[in-house]
């Protein structure tokens, strides 16, 4: 594996690696992605192998602009409205796949839909231009573990399985894209993420549907109960941390604790700051070698919905 700066040279080399069927990790505004040419079946297969990802869990295809989306998928009027409001940006739309799209079937894990987004990060945009192919990319972590928000996280997690990592510094948003099912006449939330549901409802003028089903049931094939998991146990909504526990704090009123390692996601209680620091902080506390990470309550409005979704999965029983 080589780490390249995301300059002209690095981007040209990364584009070539992708076209030749290799794997390139690259920054997006949300998290680092592990990319392959979405039209080459073997290249896409190597993503699943590198991550240890189950084949039933489909991937997001990254494209440079809305007009390229239409080559691969069918945009409904509602999808167009959302695209105009949020692309380029951290929103993923699940759409009907177009016949003869040229995308590998593996990308969709056999479904007749495809998840697509137009990323807003300048390095991701430049890579799409340099490669001139649609890029299938899940988050660049081993399946089930904490998502990477820095090039070093990718190197630590996936090392030799990746041909090239483009280093574009820390991701600004820090949480994955919001995923919406837009195949029909309604908008269904498959994964809360970087675009708050309230914001989507403002744009569409209608309520976002949420899947009924028992708590923790997968609403998107990849929404397994245990995910984003550090090695340490995670304990949520903690008012009183126990001696020896690490503390992931939020807001100004941090309870006294037994001197374990502490990180405050946002002393001012800002959810954007907390989102940007969430995954790196879980990694750092995990690295301190504690057996449990205690997490203070985090409000559920705005980005809080996505933060709490990730924390609940990090805390879920592991199989
Ligand atoms: O921010 C992000 O979305 C990042 C960056 C790299 O773009 N990517 C990301 O990918 O989070 P990943 O693979 O970690 O999560 C993709 C999710 C999975 O839960 C998967 O099940 C769901 O998208 N998904 C993909 N295609 C789908 C489809 N056709 N229908 C329903 N869910 C789909
Ligand atoms: Mg992921």
């Amino acid at each position: 594996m080589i780490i390249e700066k995301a300059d002209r040279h690095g981007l040209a080399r990364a584009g070539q690696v992708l076209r030749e069927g290799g794997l390139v990790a690259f920054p997006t505004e949300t998290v680092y992605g592990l990319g392959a040419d979405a039209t080459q079946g073997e290249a896409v297969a190597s993503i699943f192998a590198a991550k240890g990802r189950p084949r039933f869990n489909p991937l997001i295809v990254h494209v440079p602009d809305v007009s390229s989306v239409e080559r691969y998928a069918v945009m409904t009027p509602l999808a167009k409205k959302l695209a105009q409001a949020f692309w380029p940006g951290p929103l993923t739309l699940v759409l009907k796949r177009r016949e003869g799209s040229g995308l590998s079937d593996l990308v969709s894990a056999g479904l007749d839909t495809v998840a697509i987004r137009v990323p807003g990060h300048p390095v991701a945009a430049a890579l799409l231009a340099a490669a001139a192919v649609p890029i299938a990319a899940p988050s660049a972590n081993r399946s089930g573990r904490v998502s990477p928000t820095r090039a070093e996280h990718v190197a630590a997690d996936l090392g030799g399985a990746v041909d090239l990592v483009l280093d574009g510094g820390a991701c600004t948003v820090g949480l994955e894209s919001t995923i919406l099912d837009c195949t029909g006449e309604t908008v269904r939330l498959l994964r809360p993420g970087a675009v708050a549901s309230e914001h989507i409802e403002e744009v569409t003028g209608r309520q976002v549907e949420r899947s009924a089903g028992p708590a923790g049931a997968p609403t998107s094939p990849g929404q397994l109960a245990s995910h984003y998991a550090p090695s340490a146990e995670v304990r949520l909504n903690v008012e009183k941390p126990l001696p020896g526990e690490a503390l992931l704090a939020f807001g100004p009123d941090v309870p006294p604790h037994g001197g374990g390692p502490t990180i405050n996601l946002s002393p001012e209680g800002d959810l954007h700051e907390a989102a940007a620091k969430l995954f790196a902080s879980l990694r750092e506390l995990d690295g301190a070698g504690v057996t449990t990470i205690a997490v203070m309550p985090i409000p559920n409005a705005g980005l809080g919905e996505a933060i709490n979704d990730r924390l609940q999965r990090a805390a879920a029983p592991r199989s």
Side-chain angles (χ1 to χ4, degrees):
M1 180 207 61
I2 33 171
I3 300 189
E4 289 265 6
K5 269 210 231 99
D7 54 15
R8 189 130 64 107
H9 166 81
L11 284 160
R13 188 147 175 202
Q16 191 181 358
V17 169
L18 286 173
R19 283 193 304 277
E20 287 171 355
L23 292 183
V24 172
F26 62 99
T28 79
E29 66 275 46
T30 60
V31 300
Y32 273 72
L34 178 63
D37 178 351
T39 67
Q40 295 187 44
E42 275 183 44
V44 176
S46 64
I47 293 180
F48 288 87
K51 283 187 56 109
R53 180 178 176 108
R55 290 283 182 106
F56 62 77
N57 190 1
L59 306 175
I60 296 173
V61 176
H62 299 68
V63 299
D65 48 42
V66 183
S67 58
S68 345
V69 175
E70 310 252 16
R71 287 171 52 189
Y72 308 114
V74 182
M75 296 276 279
T76 62
L78 209 47
K80 286 183 183 160
K81 203 174 203 179
L82 288 163
Q84 190 174 17
F86 295 110
W87 281 346
L91 179 72
T92 295
L93 299 180
V94 171
L95 303 166
K96 284 268 179 238
R97 252 174 96 114
R98 217 178 260 294
E99 291 267 344
S101 67
L103 296 175
S104 154
D105 285 336
L106 264 185
V107 159
S108 298
L111 302 171
D112 61 357
T113 56
V114 61
I116 300 202
R117 87 177 180 99
V118 178
H121 194 291
V123 173
L127 179 63
L128 283 162
V133 295
I135 301 176
S139 50
N141 50 279
R142 275 181 299 131
S143 188
R145 307 312 292 267
V146 181
S147 303
T149 53
R150 293 176 171 278
E152 305 88 88
H153 299 161
V154 180
D157 246 31
L158 294 176
V162 187
D163 296 302
L164 189 154
V165 182
L166 272 180
D167 187 352
C171 301
T172 48
V173 178
L175 279 182
E176 293 86 350
S177 61
T178 302
I179 306 183
L180 299 176
D181 181 333
C182 272
T183 50
E185 276 161 27
T186 58
V187 174
R188 206 153 59 83
L189 182 67
L190 297 182
R191 176 177 76 184
V195 178
S197 308
E198 293 92 327
H199 201 175
I200 291 159
E201 291 178 342
E202 265 169 47
V203 165
T204 59
R206 57 170 92 192
Q207 250 186 333
V208 166
E209 288 179 10
R210 279 149 222 267
S211 304
T219 51
S220 187
Q223 289 299 80
L224 307 173
S226 173
H227 211 91
Y228 313 102
S231 302
E233 301 266 316
V234 175
R235 206 158 70 82
L236 300 181
N237 297 317
V238 172
E239 315 268 359
K240 283 198 197 124
L242 303 172
E245 282 185 332
L247 179 64
L248 192 58
F250 178 82
D253 304 317
V254 180
H257 50 99
T262 299
I263 297 179
N264 196 329
L265 288 173
S266 173
E268 266 135 54
D270 175 351
L271 290 167
H272 287 268
E273 183 187 4
K277 284 168 68 176
L278 177 67
F279 288 139
S281 303
L282 282 173
R283 278 176 189 266
E284 194 176 327
L285 293 178
D286 211 21
V290 292
T291 52
T292 308
I293 301 173
V295 185
M296 284 177 65
I298 294 177
N300 211 42
L303 276 188
E305 184 183 9
I307 294 174
N308 284 317
D309 171 81
R310 304 304 185 270
L311 286 169
Q312 274 151 20
R313 290 177 205 282
R318 298 157 196 183
S319 49

